[in-house]
Amino acid sequence: MSGGKAVIEKLKKENVNIVFGLIGSATMELFDALYYEKKIRFIDVRDERTGTHMADGYARASGKPGIIIAGQNGPGATNLVTGVAQAKAAFSPVISIAGAITNEHKGKDAFQEIDQQSLFEPITKKTFTVNKTHLIPQILNKAFSLAQTLRQGPVHINLPRDVLSSNHKFTDFYSSKIKNFPKINQKDIKKIFNLITLSKKPVIVAGGGIKNSEIYFDLIKLANKLNIPIVSSPGHGDAIPFYEPLYAGQMGPRGNPIASNLVKKTDLILALGTRLGFNSTFYSYDYISKNAKIIQIEADQKSIGRYFPVTIGICNDVKNLVYELNLITQNNKEIPNYNRWVNDFKKNKNNYLKKRKKEADINAIPIKPSGLFEKLRNCIPNNSAITLDAGTLCLQATDMLNFTEPKSLFTPLDFGLVGFSFACGLGVKLAKPDIPVFSLMGDGGFGMTVSELSTAVTHNINTITIVMNNKSWGAEKAYQRDYYNKRYIGSDITSPPFHKLAELYGAKGYYVDNLSNLEGVIKDALNCKKPSVINIQMDPKALYSFRKDSFKHKK
């Protein structure tokens, strides 16, 4: 069979049932083989970048690799870069495949030639270039294994034209194997338990490792047995259901004050599946207790103690540790009394939630963020998934919305990417077709990616996109207002009426300038059986400077 047919056979062997991509002449054998494969659904996208965000959202929501194919070498491959870099920052198992120029043309300044191997190496776990047709199954096997082995991440494969078009007699296609961690040493488990019993104000920090392992029930069981509060790292507010009494929400400079204060005042941090990285701490003791002992369990060895010194550091799957701690806790009666620490936290959490509701301005026109988020908390069904962009309004939304189950929040995380949310939501919806998917973003980010409305309509991917339209690049305009004496340049945006544009694409469009209408609009969007866009007129003056630390020199 041809190399192109071999790629599709390998995808079948890995039980891939959805592939995102944009066709190109460099990979015609591959797409021709895909044409005959009825078990794999092909989602043709309008841009390789946004297609990669779809694959990223699909991977995170499903737990399986997200596949994106850039059919053309050169510009088709370079368009993948932003999406692949985003996937690397999110530790998302995306496998990107790009056409490449024929081997005999390499180094001759051929049409659309670029060094794709060097381009992708810094933004992937591994980049492969397949130079022989018979190596296709072997290299794809390695790619699937690497992408899914903890810590997960993107893998890129370049496939030259001659490799895809050449024929080879393949003997077998076999499934990839994921390398698992060994059991955790029992001596380490006992040391951890002893440190917990000696502490007076412990806190659990649940990171992406908890969320992606889907072991929230086991962690809640552990926290309840030990009576320890839980916070989550930013972007993983869904690691623990919102309604859990011991859960405080997201910590850090972009989290809520209750969770953040727990981490500032604690004497022991049990960091589970988290790097304690930038979004959580800004690498500063301003956001984490300097006197706290840290127990860190991470799948990535280099992340352990990288930003803050640790008392105990273990490189392993966090699932293994939670299992072992539950065992030792179940069989041990020496559980200290943290009642005062926990009761104070619960009281503060209750007051914070009351204050959040009381301060929500639901009557203001133009619409204020606090009012919008209060309405969304009441309107969005509990089983929904929510995707967010970067930007001032989405950063405010990160801890203003309530997430009732794991894998219901999808954000750009440390890459801080604008233009991510809508496309990511399409991937999430394909992974979870039976739940509502809401994608929140600003007018700038939606304007970047609006062409994917065509993809959504063509493939009947019925997400609800909420455009929080303040006619600006809000974060940057806030900095210009607060630190540059209102010298605005490039921060104001003119856009078409997105609700009308959605209708032209064949989607459903809504315009909201008064929150009294929002509940009815959302109900209609949930029932319209079309992709929908809700264009919400936000107060252009309701801007917030998040990165005040970056502008200390301006004081």
Side-chain angles (χ1 to χ4, degrees):
M1 67 178 69
S2 71
K5 174 68 171 172
V7 172
I8 301 306
E9 287 298 315
K10 176 57 185 170
L11 296 183
K12 282 171 58 181
K13 193 68 177 178
E14 294 291 342
N15 296 315
V16 171
N17 49 30
I18 290 181
V19 168
F20 304 89
L22 202 162
I23 65 168
S25 59
T27 51
M28 280 300 175
E29 282 79 14
L30 190 160
F31 282 105
D32 192 52
L34 188 59
Y35 173 84
Y36 289 101
E37 185 44 62
K38 303 306 180 186
K39 292 183 179 179
I40 299 178
R41 184 181 179 188
F42 178 55
I43 306 296
D44 57 313
V45 303
R46 302 301 172 262
D47 184 88
E48 293 89 349
R49 170 198 163 173
T50 41
T52 311
H53 298 332
M54 293 180 209
D56 184 355
Y58 178 85
R60 293 198 227 173
S62 68
K64 302 192 298 183
I67 313 299
I68 173 70
I69 302 173
Q72 194 61 30
N73 54 277
T78 60
N79 281 350
L80 291 172
V81 168
T82 298
V84 173
Q86 164 62 59
K88 186 171 190 289
F91 304 101
S92 182
V94 169
I95 297 176
S96 56
I97 298 171
I101 63 168
T102 300
N103 277 301
E104 66 173 302
H105 290 168
K106 286 183 179 177
K108 297 180 180 179
D109 294 331
F111 179 63
Q112 295 183 330
E113 180 177 7
I114 188 172
D115 184 355
Q116 293 176 198
Q117 179 70 27
S118 298
L119 181 67
F120 285 93
E121 281 179 348
I123 57 171
T124 58
K125 284 186 76 173
K126 183 79 174 178
T127 294
F128 297 95
T129 296
V130 186
N131 290 316
K132 300 289 183 182
T133 302
H134 73 273
L135 295 175
I136 285 175
Q138 176 185 335
I139 289 178
L140 263 69
N141 204 63
K142 289 180 180 178
F144 273 88
S145 178
L146 278 169
Q148 297 175 88
T149 297
L150 296 178
R151 237 178 196 270
Q152 296 181 336
V155 175
H156 179 74
I157 305 165
N158 296 305
L159 291 167
R161 290 184 180 208
D162 54 324
V163 170
L164 289 174
S165 60
S166 297
N167 291 318
H168 180 76
K169 187 175 181 180
F170 295 94
T171 56
D172 191 24
F173 294 89
Y174 52 96
S175 300
S176 59
K177 294 182 179 180
I178 303 171
K179 183 180 178 182
N180 293 316
F181 284 96
K183 287 186 176 182
I184 299 176
N185 190 307
Q186 287 300 309
K187 290 182 179 178
D188 288 331
I189 298 296
K190 289 177 182 177
K191 287 179 183 178
I192 292 170
F193 185 77
N194 287 337
L195 279 176
I196 292 171
T197 59
L198 291 171
S199 67
K200 298 186 183 303
K201 296 184 291 184
V203 67
I204 295 170
V205 179
I210 293 293
K211 171 168 129 178
N212 295 331
S213 297
E214 298 185 81
I215 55 167
Y216 73 96
F217 182 80
D218 297 303
L219 182 58
I220 292 167
K221 179 181 175 182
L222 178 66
N224 283 327
K225 180 69 174 177
L226 294 171
N227 199 26
I228 297 178
I230 309 172
V231 306
S232 63
S233 55
H236 300 303
D238 57 334
I240 304 295
F242 165 80
Y243 53 77
E244 285 298 329
L246 284 172
Y247 180 48
Q250 295 172 93
M251 63 170 283
R254 292 164 180 160
N256 71 59
I258 308 306
S260 300
N261 283 335
L262 283 172
V263 183
K264 290 177 186 178
K265 295 177 179 179
T266 182
D267 61 0
L268 179 70
I269 295 171
L270 192 55
L272 304 181
T274 173
R275 294 168 296 146
L276 297 175
F278 176 78
N279 272 343
S280 297
T281 64
F282 281 2
Y283 311 133
S284 168
Y285 281 113
D286 290 342
Y287 300 100
I288 189 172
S289 172
K290 193 171 186 178
N291 299 317
K293 293 178 179 177
I294 299 176
I295 301 167
Q296 188 178 17
I297 291 80
E298 244 291 321
D300 180 21
Q301 180 67 57
K302 71 178 183 180
S303 295
I304 296 175
R306 183 179 183 185
Y307 308 120
F308 301 95
V310 298
T311 304
I312 298 176
I314 298 175
C315 182
N316 210 296
D317 186 347
V318 69
K319 181 164 49 178
N320 294 339
L321 181 97
V322 173
Y323 173 79
E324 295 291 348
L325 280 179
N326 264 318
L327 278 182
I328 195 173
T329 304
Q330 185 178 349
N331 298 323
N332 201 308
K333 296 181 180 180
E334 297 179 17
I335 307 295
N337 187 328
Y338 303 125
N339 285 345
R340 184 174 179 182
W341 168 243
V342 171
N343 289 339
D344 284 347
F345 144 66
K346 288 182 176 179
K347 179 181 177 182
N348 292 335
K349 175 184 174 182
N350 187 49
N351 290 337
Y352 166 72
L353 294 177
K354 286 180 178 178
K355 182 181 178 184
R356 185 176 75 170
K357 184 175 181 64
K358 183 179 179 180
E359 292 182 350
D361 188 347
I362 62 173
N363 298 313
I365 299 176
I367 294 167
K368 301 283 188 185
S370 64
L372 173 63
F373 300 141
E374 170 65 18
K375 281 287 188 179
L376 291 177
R377 287 193 290 267
N378 296 318
C379 290
I380 292 178
N382 283 339
N383 66 332
S384 301
I386 297 171
T387 69
L388 298 175
D389 250 28
T392 183
L393 289 171
C394 284
L395 286 173
Q396 290 177 65
T398 303
D399 209 80
M400 287 287 109
L401 302 177
N402 301 333
F403 308 100
T404 57
E405 58 187 64
K407 292 194 175 182
S408 60
L409 171 62
F410 303 85
T411 80
L413 298 170
D414 285 7
F415 202 54
L417 181 65
V418 172
F420 167 79
S421 180
F422 171 44
C424 174
L426 299 181
V428 171
K429 183 66 175 179
L430 287 166
K432 297 184 171 186
D434 296 328
I435 70 169
V437 176
F438 289 80
S439 296
L440 277 66
M441 58 200 315
D443 46 317
F446 188 64
M448 286 180 174
T449 58
V450 69
S451 63
E452 296 301 347
L453 275 171
S454 178
T455 301
V457 170
T458 299
H459 295 282
N460 201 33
I461 312 172
N462 299 334
T463 63
I464 299 171
T465 303
I466 296 176
V467 181
M468 299 178 288
N469 195 333
N470 60 9
K471 296 182 171 58
S472 69
W473 299 107
E476 286 66 34
K477 190 167 185 177
Y479 298 141
Q480 290 173 343
R481 178 196 65 193
D482 296 341
Y483 300 102
Y484 295 90
N485 200 27
K486 300 182 181 179
R487 294 189 292 274
Y488 299 122
I489 178 171
S491 54
D492 293 312
I493 300 174
T494 301
S495 301
F498 288 125
H499 52 293
K500 293 183 179 180
L501 189 60
E503 298 278 353
L504 290 173
Y505 271 102
K508 193 72 182 287
Y510 304 89
Y511 179 71
V512 174
D513 60 1
N514 188 321
L515 285 176
S516 63
N517 303 326
L518 184 61
E519 184 174 359
V521 164
I522 287 179
K523 283 182 178 179
D524 193 72
L526 286 166
N527 294 315
C528 73
K529 297 182 179 180
K530 287 184 176 183
S532 58
V533 175
I534 304 174
N535 186 16
I536 300 183
Q537 185 57 58
M538 301 296 297
D539 185 350
K541 295 180 180 179
L543 305 176
Y544 183 80
S545 294
F546 271 92
R547 289 297 314 279
K548 293 180 172 66
D549 62 306
S550 293
F551 295 95
K552 290 179 180 178
H553 63 285
K554 298 297 292 183
K555 289 183 179 179

